[in-house]
Amino acid sequence: MTKVTREFIDGLPKAELHLHIEGTLEPELKLKLAKRNHVDIGQTTIEEVRKTYQYDDLASFLAVYYPAMDVLQHEQDFYDLAFDYLRRAAANNIRHVEIFFDPQAHTSRGIPFATVINGLHRAIVDARAMNVDADLVMCFLRDFSKESARKTLLEAMPFKDWILGVGLDSDEHNNPPLKFARQYEDAAAAGLHLTAHCDIDQVGSIDHIRQALEIMGVERIDHGTNIVEDPDLVAFVANHGIGMTTCPLSNSFVSPEMKGDEIKELLGKGVKVCVNSDDPAYFGGYVNDNYAALADQFSLTRDQVIQIARNSFDVSWISDEKKALYQAQIDDYIANN
């Protein structure tokens, strides 16, 4: 079998559907924003910032992740955060990206919703010059109350044209998807797409996946590789074309094998699995690094890598015409490589 090269992965057109913009806060930008906004973060060098990025489960990760956001204060900060990521997306040959953002993580510390979304949207508009097509997906923080989610959805409505869908993230323990069933119904009624995190190896993982799929009607599951424990649910997502947005490098902080066997199993069963970077500043790699790690460690074939890239467009929330355009770009790339 011919090894899939990094050069091939780097040039392959792809979409990214599981990317937390707050998780792209690189140490360099964190220090720059801390200085600009006069925020004492307790670190003064890149090395000191990197040393704080230590965690071995979701809870310990979030304990580092949320305090880092204190440096994000103004519209320009959110613009800089998003535009830095979108530059990297262009370098990774990402043609389309659906960006998660967590407004409650900012409004809860006094930053207006409009400040957050205006900065992110401006960056998205400017990134078009780099041939990157981007949209926003607003996530509810599941460890906040459902009333907080209700208010956040109301705040989002004046900006609805800038938001493609809603998601659900943060600490899953004792916060099942059904906690937010009403908010998801309201979001769907407003014309927004639906996805939800079902993190790996959580208490009640299968029940949470089943709630999200069978009751809440999500169109994608973020993470969710524990689904392999239930063949009936695997058949359900395969038959309904539901996407699974996996993140190998972030998985490796919880499961040493990155859930690679599960990803390959789902791919082999016709599930529309795609590969993404999650929180790349914290987990050591952007999307091409995730493709390469999975391909190297689990001996993916060229056809499997191509299928993952095709899946990323198939389960995106863009028009059929755009999907056909991007699939044709993959065809052209394969024909010449």
Side-chain angles (χ1 to χ4, degrees):
M1 182 184 70
T2 303
K3 180 180 172 64
V4 179
T5 67
R6 178 59 188 256
E7 181 182 17
F8 180 80
I9 288 169
D10 287 347
L12 183 64
K14 57 188 76 70
E16 179 153 44
L17 308 178
H18 187 149
L19 181 284
H20 300 271
I21 198 61
E22 293 90 352
T24 69
L25 183 61
E26 292 285 348
E28 294 85 352
L29 183 59
K30 183 180 179 183
L31 287 173
K32 175 184 173 181
L33 296 182
K35 183 177 180 180
R36 185 161 85 192
N37 295 326
H38 309 290
V39 177
D40 182 3
I41 59 173
Q43 304 111 38
T44 58
T45 69
I46 292 170
E47 292 72 22
E48 287 176 349
V49 175
R50 291 197 188 283
K51 285 180 181 176
T52 68
Y53 291 7
Q54 296 182 11
Y55 21 77
D56 55 12
D57 59 17
L58 181 60
S60 61
F61 164 66
L62 295 175
V64 173
Y65 184 66
Y66 286 123
M69 296 182 201
D70 288 344
V71 301
L72 297 165
Q73 299 281 333
H74 305 290
E75 181 178 318
Q76 187 63 38
D77 303 336
F78 290 95
Y79 175 94
D80 291 347
L81 176 71
F83 198 75
D84 273 11
Y85 162 71
L86 289 163
R87 265 199 298 254
R88 291 185 173 91
N92 277 248
N93 226 11
I94 294 171
R95 304 298 172 86
H96 174 72
V97 57
E98 294 173 10
I99 298 172
F100 292 141
F101 73 112
D102 292 330
Q104 290 155 290
H106 310 297
T107 56
S108 64
R109 55 190 180 85
I111 309 300
F113 188 102
T115 297
V116 179
I117 198 165
N118 282 332
L120 298 178
H121 179 71
R122 280 202 299 118
I124 283 172
V125 171
D126 288 351
R128 293 170 188 162
M130 299 183 292
N131 199 29
V132 178
D133 168 41
D135 287 294
L136 292 173
V137 176
M138 184 183 77
C139 289
F140 300 121
L141 297 182
R142 64 203 311 158
D143 43 2
F144 279 43
S145 69
K146 55 188 177 183
E147 174 62 10
S148 175
R150 184 189 71 81
K151 290 179 178 178
T152 298
L153 186 61
L154 286 176
E155 281 189 286
M157 285 300 98
F159 305 94
K160 186 166 72 73
D161 290 346
W162 293 355
I163 300 171
L164 192 59
V166 298
L168 185 63
D169 61 12
S170 202
D171 193 353
E172 192 167 333
H173 186 57
N174 293 327
N175 294 299
L178 274 180
K179 175 180 173 182
F180 300 95
R182 175 62 185 271
Q183 288 69 38
Y184 267 57
E185 288 178 5
D186 291 344
L192 298 174
H193 292 280
L194 308 177
T195 187
H197 277 50
C198 291
D199 290 306
I200 63 171
D201 299 343
Q202 298 292 300
V203 175
S205 280
I206 289 296
D207 285 342
H208 291 183
I209 293 169
R210 182 175 288 108
Q211 288 176 20
L213 290 171
E214 296 183 348
I215 301 173
M216 295 171 68
V218 299
E219 300 158 77
R220 294 198 300 250
I221 292 284
D222 303 310
H223 296 301
T225 46
N226 286 82
I227 198 171
V228 299
E229 299 164 21
D230 189 319
D232 183 61
L233 285 178
V234 172
F236 181 89
V237 296
N239 292 337
H240 289 81
I242 292 168
M244 305 283 290
T245 68
T246 63
C247 307
L249 289 179
S250 68
N251 286 349
S252 70
F253 280 73
V254 179
S255 172
E257 297 302 312
M258 302 191 299
K259 296 294 181 180
D261 287 330
E262 290 87 342
I263 292 170
K264 284 184 72 174
E265 179 181 341
L266 292 167
L267 193 63
K269 291 182 176 179
V271 175
K272 291 192 177 296
V273 180
C274 61
V275 165
N276 312 269
S277 63
D278 202 358
D279 299 282
Y282 293 87
F283 294 126
Y286 287 80
V287 73
N288 289 358
D289 302 311
N290 278 266
Y291 270 77
L294 187 67
D296 288 346
Q297 216 167 304
F298 292 89
S299 301
L300 295 191
T301 66
R302 177 181 160 109
D303 285 347
Q304 287 173 320
V305 170
I306 292 168
Q307 188 59 55
I308 289 169
R310 290 196 184 282
N311 290 345
S312 70
F313 292 115
D314 281 346
V315 299
S316 69
W317 295 330
I318 55 179
S319 68
D320 289 343
E321 290 77 14
K322 274 191 175 180
K323 288 180 183 181
L325 173 67
Y326 291 131
Q327 294 291 359
Q329 289 180 7
I330 292 178
D331 292 339
D332 290 343
Y333 181 73
I334 295 167
N336 292 289
N337 291 275

